[in-house]
Amino acid sequence: MMTIAVYPGSFDPITNGHLDIIQRSINLFDNLIVAVAKNTEKNALFTVAERIEIIKDAVREYPNVNIRAMDGLLVDFARNVGAKVIIRGLRAVSDFEYEYQMALMNKRLAPDIETIFMMTSGKYAFLSSSVIREVSMLGGNIKSFVPEKSYEFLMKKFNCGG
Ligand code: ADP
C-alpha cells in the first residue's frame, strides 16, 4: 500500500528548514503532499500561487512530492488525498504547545490520521518564514537560508534588485 503524508503550512516563503523536513520525509513515505494553507492569505507576504511556484522550483528534483493549495480543515484535506499521516516540524519548546493542541484536536476529528513530528536539524533551528521576511525587509542577507526561488521573490518584493 502507498503511504501518503501531508506536510501542511503557510510556507510564506519556504525556507531551508522546511526543505530539510521535506527531504527527510520523502525517505519515509511513498508520496509527500506539501499543502499550502490558503486561510493565511490575509497577512501573507506572498499569494498562495506565488508560494506554490516557489515550492515547485525548490522540490523540482523530487518526483514523489506534490504541492497543493489547501483551504478548510487539514484532516478533511488529508482524507481527500488519501493521506494517513500529517508531518509537522518542531524547533523549540515554543512550538510545542500549539502543535500539541492541534495534534490532539486533529486526533479527535480524525482518529485514523497520525500526526508525526520531525525535530529540526540543529543548523535550521533558528529559521522561520517570519524571521526571513523581517530580515529580508530590513535589507539583511538571507540568501543562504532559503531556496533560490524564495530569495529571488523576496528580492523582487523588497525592490533589492536581485
Ligand atoms: P504554520 O503557519 O502552519 O506554522 P509554517 O510554514 O510556519 O506553517 O511551518 C510549517 C511547518 O514546518 C510547521 O510544522 C513548522 O513547525 C515547520 N517548520 C518551519 N520551520 C522549520 C525549521 N526551521 N525546522 C523544522 N521545522 C520547521
mmCIF file of all heavy atoms in Angstrom, residues 134-155:
data_model
loop_
_atom_site.group_PDB
_atom_site.id
_atom_site.type_symbol
_atom_site.label_atom_id
_atom_site.label_comp_id
_atom_site.label_asym_id
_atom_site.label_seq_id
_atom_site.Cartn_x
_atom_site.Cartn_y
_atom_site.Cartn_z
ATOM 1 N N GLU A 134 11.229 39.324 7.883
ATOM 2 C CA GLU A 134 11.630 40.531 8.601
ATOM 3 C C GLU A 134 13.053 40.963 8.245
ATOM 4 O O GLU A 134 13.298 42.126 7.911
ATOM 5 C CB GLU A 134 11.515 40.275 10.105
ATOM 6 C CG GLU A 134 11.582 41.547 10.923
ATOM 7 C CD GLU A 134 11.315 41.293 12.393
ATOM 8 O OE1 GLU A 134 10.744 40.237 12.723
ATOM 9 O OE2 GLU A 134 11.699 42.156 13.198
ATOM 10 N N VAL A 135 13.978 40.002 8.290
ATOM 11 C CA VAL A 135 15.380 40.340 7.996
ATOM 12 C C VAL A 135 15.507 40.813 6.550
ATOM 13 O O VAL A 135 16.207 41.789 6.253
ATOM 14 C CB VAL A 135 16.305 39.127 8.274
ATOM 15 C CG1 VAL A 135 17.720 39.394 7.786
ATOM 16 C CG2 VAL A 135 16.296 38.785 9.759
ATOM 17 N N SER A 136 14.784 40.135 5.670
ATOM 18 C CA SER A 136 14.841 40.477 4.267
ATOM 19 C C SER A 136 14.292 41.884 4.018
ATOM 20 O O SER A 136 14.877 42.681 3.275
ATOM 21 C CB SER A 136 14.021 39.434 3.504
ATOM 22 O OG SER A 136 14.172 39.611 2.142
ATOM 23 N N MET A 137 13.187 42.196 4.680
ATOM 24 C CA MET A 137 12.570 43.518 4.525
ATOM 25 C C MET A 137 13.521 44.621 4.983
ATOM 26 O O MET A 137 13.560 45.708 4.414
ATOM 27 C CB MET A 137 11.282 43.565 5.344
ATOM 28 C CG MET A 137 10.460 44.805 5.147
ATOM 29 S SD MET A 137 8.929 44.689 6.099
ATOM 30 C CE MET A 137 9.565 44.776 7.753
ATOM 31 N N LEU A 138 14.327 44.294 6.003
ATOM 32 C CA LEU A 138 15.244 45.298 6.548
ATOM 33 C C LEU A 138 16.586 45.321 5.812
ATOM 34 O O LEU A 138 17.506 46.018 6.212
ATOM 35 C CB LEU A 138 15.460 45.040 8.048
ATOM 36 C CG LEU A 138 14.188 45.164 8.902
ATOM 37 C CD1 LEU A 138 14.441 44.697 10.323
ATOM 38 C CD2 LEU A 138 13.670 46.601 8.893
ATOM 39 N N GLY A 139 16.685 44.505 4.768
ATOM 40 C CA GLY A 139 17.880 44.557 3.925
ATOM 41 C C GLY A 139 18.985 43.592 4.322
ATOM 42 O O GLY A 139 20.097 43.653 3.791
ATOM 43 N N GLY A 140 18.702 42.681 5.255
ATOM 44 C CA GLY A 140 19.709 41.682 5.639
ATOM 45 C C GLY A 140 19.845 40.610 4.578
ATOM 46 O O GLY A 140 18.909 40.364 3.814
ATOM 47 N N ASN A 141 21.009 39.970 4.525
ATOM 48 C CA ASN A 141 21.242 38.955 3.504
ATOM 49 C C ASN A 141 20.766 37.575 3.993
ATOM 50 O O ASN A 141 21.350 37.006 4.901
ATOM 51 C CB ASN A 141 22.729 38.916 3.149
ATOM 52 C CG ASN A 141 22.992 37.990 1.975
ATOM 53 O OD1 ASN A 141 22.098 37.262 1.528
ATOM 54 N ND2 ASN A 141 24.217 38.012 1.483
ATOM 55 N N ILE A 142 19.710 37.064 3.359
ATOM 56 C CA ILE A 142 19.141 35.797 3.803
ATOM 57 C C ILE A 142 19.365 34.690 2.762
ATOM 58 O O ILE A 142 18.762 33.620 2.830
ATOM 59 C CB ILE A 142 17.618 35.942 4.115
ATOM 60 C CG1 ILE A 142 16.882 36.781 3.059
ATOM 61 C CG2 ILE A 142 17.412 36.610 5.460
ATOM 62 C CD1 ILE A 142 16.571 36.092 1.811
ATOM 63 N N LYS A 143 20.276 34.970 1.818
ATOM 64 C CA LYS A 143 20.459 34.080 0.681
ATOM 65 C C LYS A 143 20.765 32.626 1.079
ATOM 66 O O LYS A 143 20.296 31.689 0.445
ATOM 67 C CB LYS A 143 21.582 34.620 -0.207
ATOM 68 C CG LYS A 143 21.648 33.957 -1.531
ATOM 69 C CD LYS A 143 22.563 34.667 -2.508
ATOM 70 C CE LYS A 143 22.485 33.904 -3.810
ATOM 71 N NZ LYS A 143 22.909 34.574 -4.949
ATOM 72 N N SER A 144 21.547 32.456 2.135
ATOM 73 C CA SER A 144 21.961 31.088 2.493
ATOM 74 C C SER A 144 20.909 30.350 3.322
ATOM 75 O O SER A 144 21.115 29.204 3.699
ATOM 76 C CB SER A 144 23.289 31.128 3.243
ATOM 77 O OG SER A 144 23.158 31.958 4.371
ATOM 78 N N PHE A 145 19.792 30.992 3.602
ATOM 79 C CA PHE A 145 18.776 30.356 4.464
ATOM 80 C C PHE A 145 17.540 29.869 3.715
ATOM 81 O O PHE A 145 16.669 29.232 4.300
ATOM 82 C CB PHE A 145 18.309 31.345 5.547
ATOM 83 C CG PHE A 145 19.427 31.964 6.331
ATOM 84 C CD1 PHE A 145 19.467 33.334 6.562
ATOM 85 C CD2 PHE A 145 20.449 31.169 6.846
ATOM 86 C CE1 PHE A 145 20.505 33.907 7.286
ATOM 87 C CE2 PHE A 145 21.491 31.730 7.574
ATOM 88 C CZ PHE A 145 21.522 33.106 7.792
ATOM 89 N N VAL A 146 17.459 30.212 2.438
ATOM 90 C CA VAL A 146 16.257 29.877 1.670
ATOM 91 C C VAL A 146 16.624 29.322 0.288
ATOM 92 O O VAL A 146 17.712 29.599 -0.214
ATOM 93 C CB VAL A 146 15.344 31.124 1.465
ATOM 94 C CG1 VAL A 146 14.767 31.607 2.771
ATOM 95 C CG2 VAL A 146 16.084 32.248 0.746
ATOM 96 N N PRO A 147 15.708 28.541 -0.335
ATOM 97 C CA PRO A 147 15.952 28.104 -1.710
ATOM 98 C C PRO A 147 16.032 29.322 -2.640
ATOM 99 O O PRO A 147 15.516 30.393 -2.328
ATOM 100 C CB PRO A 147 14.739 27.247 -2.047
ATOM 101 C CG PRO A 147 14.032 26.986 -0.782
ATOM 102 C CD PRO A 147 14.428 28.035 0.189
ATOM 103 N N GLU A 148 16.672 29.082 -3.787
ATOM 104 C CA GLU A 148 16.934 30.139 -4.769
ATOM 105 C C GLU A 148 15.698 30.973 -5.129
ATOM 106 O O GLU A 148 15.750 32.212 -5.153
ATOM 107 C CB GLU A 148 17.426 29.438 -6.031
ATOM 108 C CG GLU A 148 18.521 30.129 -6.787
ATOM 109 C CD GLU A 148 18.984 29.227 -7.926
ATOM 110 O OE1 GLU A 148 19.603 28.176 -7.628
ATOM 111 O OE2 GLU A 148 18.676 29.569 -9.085
ATOM 112 N N LYS A 149 14.584 30.276 -5.389
ATOM 113 C CA LYS A 149 13.367 30.990 -5.822
ATOM 114 C C LYS A 149 12.788 31.866 -4.710
ATOM 115 O O LYS A 149 12.232 32.928 -4.977
ATOM 116 C CB LYS A 149 12.291 29.989 -6.234
ATOM 117 C CG LYS A 149 11.902 29.818 -7.680
ATOM 118 C CD LYS A 149 11.577 31.016 -8.468
ATOM 119 C CE LYS A 149 11.061 30.674 -9.847
ATOM 120 N NZ LYS A 149 11.965 31.038 -10.934
ATOM 121 N N SER A 150 12.889 31.409 -3.452
ATOM 122 C CA SER A 150 12.416 32.232 -2.334
ATOM 123 C C SER A 150 13.214 33.533 -2.311
ATOM 124 O O SER A 150 12.666 34.624 -2.150
ATOM 125 C CB SER A 150 12.614 31.537 -0.975
ATOM 126 O OG SER A 150 11.734 30.477 -0.802
ATOM 127 N N TYR A 151 14.527 33.382 -2.487
ATOM 128 C CA TYR A 151 15.411 34.546 -2.468
ATOM 129 C C TYR A 151 15.036 35.521 -3.581
ATOM 130 O O TYR A 151 14.864 36.727 -3.345
ATOM 131 C CB TYR A 151 16.865 34.089 -2.620
ATOM 132 C CG TYR A 151 17.869 35.218 -2.593
ATOM 133 C CD1 TYR A 151 18.126 35.906 -1.416
ATOM 134 C CD2 TYR A 151 18.554 35.588 -3.743
ATOM 135 C CE1 TYR A 151 19.037 36.955 -1.382
ATOM 136 C CE2 TYR A 151 19.473 36.637 -3.727
ATOM 137 C CZ TYR A 151 19.707 37.304 -2.544
ATOM 138 O OH TYR A 151 20.606 38.345 -2.514
ATOM 139 N N GLU A 152 14.869 34.964 -4.764
ATOM 140 C CA GLU A 152 14.507 35.777 -5.933
ATOM 141 C C GLU A 152 13.202 36.560 -5.667
ATOM 142 O O GLU A 152 13.134 37.770 -5.918
ATOM 143 C CB GLU A 152 14.278 34.791 -7.082
ATOM 144 C CG GLU A 152 14.415 35.311 -8.472
ATOM 145 C CD GLU A 152 14.114 34.168 -9.443
ATOM 146 O OE1 GLU A 152 14.963 33.269 -9.618
ATOM 147 O OE2 GLU A 152 13.000 34.165 -10.004
ATOM 148 N N PHE A 153 12.200 35.882 -5.150
ATOM 149 C CA PHE A 153 10.908 36.518 -4.885
ATOM 150 C C PHE A 153 11.002 37.562 -3.779
ATOM 151 O O PHE A 153 10.366 38.611 -3.859
ATOM 152 C CB PHE A 153 9.845 35.466 -4.547
ATOM 153 C CG PHE A 153 9.128 34.919 -5.749
ATOM 154 C CD1 PHE A 153 9.832 34.236 -6.742
ATOM 155 C CD2 PHE A 153 7.760 35.069 -5.900
ATOM 156 C CE1 PHE A 153 9.176 33.737 -7.859
ATOM 157 C CE2 PHE A 153 7.098 34.574 -7.018
ATOM 158 C CZ PHE A 153 7.805 33.905 -7.992
ATOM 159 N N LEU A 154 11.806 37.277 -2.763
ATOM 160 C CA LEU A 154 11.970 38.248 -1.667
ATOM 161 C C LEU A 154 12.665 39.511 -2.180
ATOM 162 O O LEU A 154 12.287 40.635 -1.847
ATOM 163 C CB LEU A 154 12.778 37.633 -0.521
ATOM 164 C CG LEU A 154 12.022 36.630 0.363
ATOM 165 C CD1 LEU A 154 13.001 35.763 1.155
ATOM 166 C CD2 LEU A 154 11.055 37.344 1.302
ATOM 167 N N MET A 155 13.684 39.303 -3.026
ATOM 168 C CA MET A 155 14.416 40.451 -3.573
ATOM 169 C C MET A 155 13.492 41.321 -4.424
ATOM 170 O O MET A 155 13.515 42.534 -4.356
ATOM 171 C CB MET A 155 15.618 39.983 -4.409
ATOM 172 C CG MET A 155 16.744 39.349 -3.616
ATOM 173 S SD MET A 155 17.412 40.422 -2.329
ATOM 174 C CE MET A 155 16.653 39.754 -0.887
#
